[in-house]
Amino acid sequence: MLKTIQAGSLRSEHVNQMITLGGWVDRRRDHGNLIFIDLRDSSGITQIVFDQNLDSSMHQSASLLRNEWVIQVTGKVRERPDGTINTELETGQVEVIVSSLTILNESKTPPFYINKEEDSDELLRMKYRYLDLRKPKMQNIVNIRHKAVKFIRDFLTDQGFLEIETPILIKSTPEGARDYLVPSRLYPGKFYSLPQSPQQLKQLLMSAGFEKYFQIARCFRDEDPRADRQPEFTQLDLEMSFVESDDILSLIEKLYYDLVKAITPGKNIKFPFPRIPYNEVIEKYGTDKPDLRFDIEMSTVVDWAKKTDINILKTIISNKGTVKSLSAPGCGNYTRGQISELEELVKTSGGKGLMWIAISEGAKSIEDLKDDDIKSPVSKVLKLNEIQEIASILSAAPGDLILIVAGPGKIVNQSLSLIRDHLGTSLGLKDPNSFEFAFITDFPLFEWKEEEKRWDAAHHPFTMPLKEHLGIISTDPSKVIAHCYDLVCNGLECGSGSIRIHSRKLQEEVFGVLGYSKEEVASRFDQLLTAFEYGTPPHGGIATGIERLVMLLAGTDNIRDVVAFPKTQSFIDPLFDAPDYVSNEQLNELHIKVNPTET
Ligand code: ASP
């Protein structure tokens, strides 16, 4: 090794030892006779000192050093003189008096600061990702990711799981996205697909008699770019035989609880994780990934609306719409501008408008409400007792702002869940030190795709319906509930899974409802259906996102922060400049002709 110790590990116990360090010049301070350098390596920073009185030619060389030059120094560790101890640095008790210096490499001036956190352009950061990753913040995130994955591997190994790799060059295995395709040189016109997940493969491993499988699996989904998405990502993919939902949930609950405690001991996390049925979570929070760090809940107020004289609400209800409401605590004094912000959220969800009732903070109580205590565009139409009734449904108090949205259920839920989320942020209710995990259970098996006028799998097509619904799969798909569950935390979906179908007949029935043709089933799923005929045991599993987990642990909401070499929001890799054109020779070898109008 070119060094004897890591810079970040120097402590008082090393005083008087001769050591050799190797690292980057993080910062240089020239005090005339003395030059101080913060020497950084992957473990941290230590201060090294060049003293002109000890060696003037070395002091002269040190004056040439610039940020990010790579150097090797040998010297003696000493206690820092009184008054110069740096309590912000773990190595701040000591410094190294350099007796020999070797410049291992020089550096151009980096395009952004590495020794200070500043908002530099993300595209530039990604073009010079190797420099961006030198920052202590990024090094820390990469460390957290390593620790989390190692924890998962150790935990599951202790529980008797085997880590098994599955192929990347495979055939389409659907998770609801488009496949990335890889053309075959050897078989003209044929393509491999990159796996959207190893779903069918892990089920085949259960058929193969491995009762507990996991993999830190790469998944590829050709979806439309979105800020919190990457076209390739990593999942903890897991499958078990002879299990029921509860077995999987208990395992994941223990894994996540232990992992959070081990890696971020200061954070609050509750055990066990609540399990909330899908219908209940939609009713209360309008979304299946609620942020449970705050307890604002919404209620359906259709019965209440029907009794009022607000005709627009009645019309919406008679057109199969719904009316829901929530109370924003302490927001009764919101300005017109603040209410407009909330109205905007309804509009972005496709909603028409937001009804609001502000209850003055000065009101004595809801029971003693007076006309003067109310401010609302519908105050003329609403009677005082009607306001009292909705306030009591929502447990609203004086000083609160009641918000009502009406329209198609999906739009109402989305509007109010965005409003709820906005309130959580603006009222400071999202404790950054708390992880509120929950399992959402009892999802519907199918969802109706209005644009395509067909049923789609709500999770994926391999999900087992509840036993009591087996008889209505084809006749009443909308009513079928699945053995399916999501893991959510702080408003993020962290994973999902299910108990799987393991019988050919049932699987074919589900494919039938989804409208897959016999040929399509034969070409895409024959391997799985055939395996079901050779004693595949009952099985189930889950996949949880590694990026989401690391984002939570590292306290970042930028998915690109937790991937060493990420793509941009528009799925470009600015470092390698990918995707890129390839040569005609390569295309010819692959039997591919690119339509020039599209390049
Ligand atoms: N394969 C599923 C997914 O990627 C997870 C699972 O059902 O295990 O979402």
Side-chain angles (χ1 to χ4, degrees), residues 517-533:
S517 67
K518 276 218 158 60
E519 296 71 41
E520 199 178 350
V521 170
S523 120
R524 292 174 71 187
F525 307 114
D526 187 52
Q527 61 288 339
L528 194 64
L529 293 170
T530 305
F532 288 170
E533 294 176 308

Side-chain angles (χ1 to χ4, degrees), residues 175 197 199 202 221 235 459-460 496-497 500 541-543:
E175 293 287 353
S197 86
Q199 183 60 37
K202 65 174 170 175
R221 298 186 188 173
Q235 288 184 341
H459 181 41
H460 54 51
S496 60
R500 325 296 184 188
I542 193 165

Side-chain angles (χ1 to χ4, degrees), residues 500-517:
R500 325 296 184 188
I501 295 168
H502 61 277
S503 112
R504 175 165 199 139
K505 195 160 160 279
L506 182 54
Q507 187 66 76
E508 283 178 337
E509 186 177 358
V510 168
F511 286 148
V513 176
L514 297 175
Y516 292 180
S517 67

Side-chain angles (χ1 to χ4, degrees), residues 173-175 196-200 202-203 219 221 233 235-239 459-460 462-463 484-485 493 495-500 540-544:
T173 162
E175 293 287 353
Q196 295 184 29
S197 86
Q199 183 60 37
Q200 290 191 70
K202 65 174 170 175
Q203 291 192 241
C219 304
R221 298 186 188 173
F233 57 93
Q235 288 184 341
L236 159 61
D237 192 51
L238 178 154
E239 199 75 5
H459 181 41
H460 54 51
F462 315 110
T463 304
C484 182
Y485 31 78
E493 184 191 315
S496 60
S498 57
I499 299 298
R500 325 296 184 188
I542 193 165
T544 63

